[in-house]
């Protein structure tokens, strides 16, 4: 039922978009895209996934998980495959947790490692967006830029505050609030050396920078002539919105957000929609190595 609702939301959003965009023109834009540039975008996406897997391994090592990098890469690609191709009740994060528990690790520790990886990844996205919005202030209208700066800085401040919640001991006495208390304690234990935290956030910035470059390359493949700084500001908010699990694999939400944000700088709506669709297809193709790992793991059980 949950996936049916997501499918309906996806269809409704695309139906709304196609009311304002010429479908035949969209097909022509997609048909004229440059294959060589799309291949570069695919390689950048694969590199982004690989770097994200490396970050997960670095975090897991702090939890004394002793697996080779290849395990984390294979599991990350498998998780991406579940997210992009197999819309089910088992998401990519759940797949990664299951992979760790099959190695004999405690389910709670496996969940914690994946959760921290997700949070650090999100902080990296906020840092990238904040820096780009400040450095290239004026690329978008002032109100939009200030909104992006406010959201990014608030998210980063909230993450920083989380490290201090273990000092508020009364939180541990209330159900629900005790989760934040315990999380703060574990984070402070995990990142007793703050340089490790900054290192992992820096890796996350690199992961998302590669993803932005993917879209920049796809834009070039369909002759969207916009500078990189525009993408550095516009793309992260789209990624933030697609985190909300309202549609299938972010389809529809991503396209609507892309069109809406890039319209603020006068971009062609049809080309932006084409770029977003190409990106969605590219994510599916880039997740195919995970299908092999999934089939391989099924045969092993």
């Amino acid at each position: 039922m949950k996936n049916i609702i997501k499918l309906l939301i996806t269809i409704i959003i695309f139906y709304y978009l196609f009311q304002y965009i010429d479908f035949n023109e969209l097909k022509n834009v997609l048909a004229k895209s440059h294959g060589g540039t799309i291949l570069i975008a695919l390689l950048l996406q694969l590199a982004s996934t690989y770097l994200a897997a490396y970050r997960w391994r670095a975090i897991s090592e702090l939890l004394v998980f002793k697996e080779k990098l290849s395990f984390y890469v294979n599991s990350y690609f498998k998780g991406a495959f579940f997210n992009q191709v197999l819309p089910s009740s088992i998401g990519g994060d759940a797949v990664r947790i299951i992979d760790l528990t099959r190695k004999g690790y405690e389910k709670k520790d496996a969940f914690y490692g994946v959760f921290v990886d997700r949070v650090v990844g999100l902080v990296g996205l906020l840092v990238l967006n904040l820096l780009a919005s400040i450095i290239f202030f004026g690329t978008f209208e002032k109100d939009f830029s200030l909104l992006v700066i406010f959201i990014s800085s608030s998210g980063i401040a909230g993450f920083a505050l989380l490290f201090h919640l273990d000092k508020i001991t009364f939180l541990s006495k209330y159900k629900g609030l005790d989760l934040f208390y315990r999380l703060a304690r574990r984070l402070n234990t995990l990142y007793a050396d703050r340089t490790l935290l900054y290192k992992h956030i820096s890796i996350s910035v690199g992961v998302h920078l590669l993803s932005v470059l993917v879209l920049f390359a796809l834009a070039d493949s369909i002759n969207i002539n916009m500078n990189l700084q525009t993408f550095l500001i516009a793309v992260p908010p789209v990624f933030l919105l697609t985190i909300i699990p309202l549609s299938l694999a972010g389809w529809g939400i991503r396209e609507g957000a892309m069109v809406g944000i890039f319209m603020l700088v006068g971009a062609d709506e049809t080309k932006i929609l084409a770029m977003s669709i190409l990106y969605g297809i590219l994510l599916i193709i880039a997740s195919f190595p995970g299908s092999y790992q999934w089939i391989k793991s099924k045969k092993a059980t």
Side-chain angles (χ1 to χ4, degrees), residues 295-301:
I295 294 170
K296 184 178 176 182
S297 64
K298 292 289 285 185
K299 288 181 178 179
T301 55

Side-chain angles (χ1 to χ4, degrees), residues 24-35 38 221-222 274 278:
N24 289 325
E25 185 182 349
L26 176 65
K27 288 193 298 183
N28 290 333
V29 171
L30 289 171
K32 294 177 181 178
S33 58
H34 310 307
I38 293 175
S221 76
I222 53 177
L278 280 174

